[in-house]
Amino acid sequence: MLSQEKALVIFSGGQDSTTCLVQAIATYGRENVQTISFAYGQRHSIELEKARWIAQDLGVSQTVLDLSLMKQITHNALMDNQAEIAEDNKGMPNTFVDGRNALFLMYAAIYAKSQGIKHIIVGVCETDFSGYPDCRDVFIKSMNVTLNLAMDYAFQIHTPLMYLTKAETWALADTLGYLDYIREHTHTCYMGIVGGCGECPSCVLRDKGLASYLESRSAQGASR
């Protein structure tokens, strides 16, 4: 039985957020799900085109907010087309955008409250991730408390991928019946290359996870 409550998915058009979206549709019903996307000057802006297409294809509404003002106050390789993607001496990728998920959650919550939505879904993960501090469960929980206090509203932030490996995220997509859909229509590449560059950290993580899942699925099929 579907939930009759409403949900808002923070939606980039990538593998993780699309998996969260199709799961939300299965849980809450298409008519009770909305998406929100952010244009913040990302070099892989093709993801917004993918997000727009997927939202329309799946029949859910999408709100796109312009947060490009972030380029005025922070610099990173994810928002600089000329920067080479690398790691610092502590292993932190220079694709990390300071404050990004905090801003995303804040704006999503403001919008959600205006729509009478209490469930906010975000596809962050601290199992297979790039070391970003704002993808950790402790941060999300702290933001949930902060937003509830800031707006006197009972938000519930859901992170269905928090403890999944990329292979397990592909498995979830397969269970939901959207493995091929997500393979074909989502964008993950930091370089903004259609189909992926195959070399940036995001592509490598995605491709390794998919290969691992397909190998596991094949082995299970062979053992039956």
Side-chain angles (χ1 to χ4, degrees):
M1 184 176 178
L2 295 177
S3 169
Q4 293 305 304
E5 297 190 36
K6 298 178 182 179
L8 177 67
V9 179
I10 296 178
F11 186 51
S12 72
Q15 173 195 354
D16 293 342
S17 65
T18 305
T19 302
C20 288
L21 176 57
V22 296
Q23 184 185 54
I25 290 172
T27 302
Y28 298 92
R30 195 180 315 275
E31 68 281 4
N32 294 318
V33 174
Q34 295 188 45
T35 66
I36 189 166
S37 304
F38 301 97
Y40 58 95
Q42 59 267 54
R43 65 195 288 175
H44 54 311
S45 58
I46 184 178
E47 71 174 9
L48 292 173
E49 298 172 21
K50 295 288 187 180
R52 188 176 299 109
W53 186 91
I54 292 168
Q56 185 175 16
D57 187 61
L58 294 179
V60 295
S61 69
Q62 180 196 32
T63 297
V64 181
L65 297 186
D66 181 4
L67 296 186
S68 57
L69 57 84
M70 291 176 66
K71 298 185 77 170
Q72 300 177 34
I73 55 175
T74 186
H75 180 265
N76 53 79
L78 206 63
M79 296 160 62
D80 182 347
N81 291 335
Q82 306 304 316
E84 181 179 349
I85 295 176
E87 293 183 351
D88 64 19
N89 55 13
K90 295 181 180 179
M92 173 67 75
N94 62 355
T95 50
F96 175 61
V97 182
D98 282 314
R100 181 178 61 167
N101 283 345
L103 280 175
F104 286 3
L105 287 165
M106 176 65 76
Y107 279 102
I110 294 169
Y111 177 78
K113 184 177 179 181
S114 76
Q115 300 293 306
I117 298 172
K118 293 187 176 181
H119 299 280
I120 299 173
I121 302 169
V122 59
V124 295
C125 168
E126 69 172 42
T127 301
D128 271 351
F129 76 130
S130 300
Y132 295 172
D134 61 358
C135 288
R136 296 175 297 173
D137 185 60
V138 64
F139 164 72
I140 299 297
K141 283 185 167 57
S142 73
M143 277 298 293
N144 203 150
V145 172
T146 297
L147 293 172
N148 289 7
L149 290 172
M151 288 180 249
D152 193 23
Y153 196 72
F155 294 109
Q156 294 182 43
I157 301 178
H158 302 273
T159 54
L161 311 183
M162 180 59 74
Y163 298 112
L164 301 186
T165 65
K166 269 292 181 284
E168 289 169 335
T169 299
W170 283 113
L172 175 58
D174 200 6
T175 299
L176 292 164
Y178 279 87
L179 176 67
D180 291 338
Y181 186 94
I182 290 173
R183 287 179 69 176
E184 295 170 11
H185 297 301
T186 63
H187 178 86
T188 302
C189 179
Y190 286 158
M191 305 302 291
I193 296 174
V194 177
C197 69
E199 297 178 359
C200 74
S202 188
C203 279
V204 170
L205 195 59
R206 173 182 172 126
D207 293 345
K208 284 178 62 177
L210 178 59
S212 175
Y213 171 63
L214 293 178
E215 181 180 353
S216 172
R217 188 177 70 169
S218 178
Q220 290 176 359
S223 66
R224 290 173 182 168

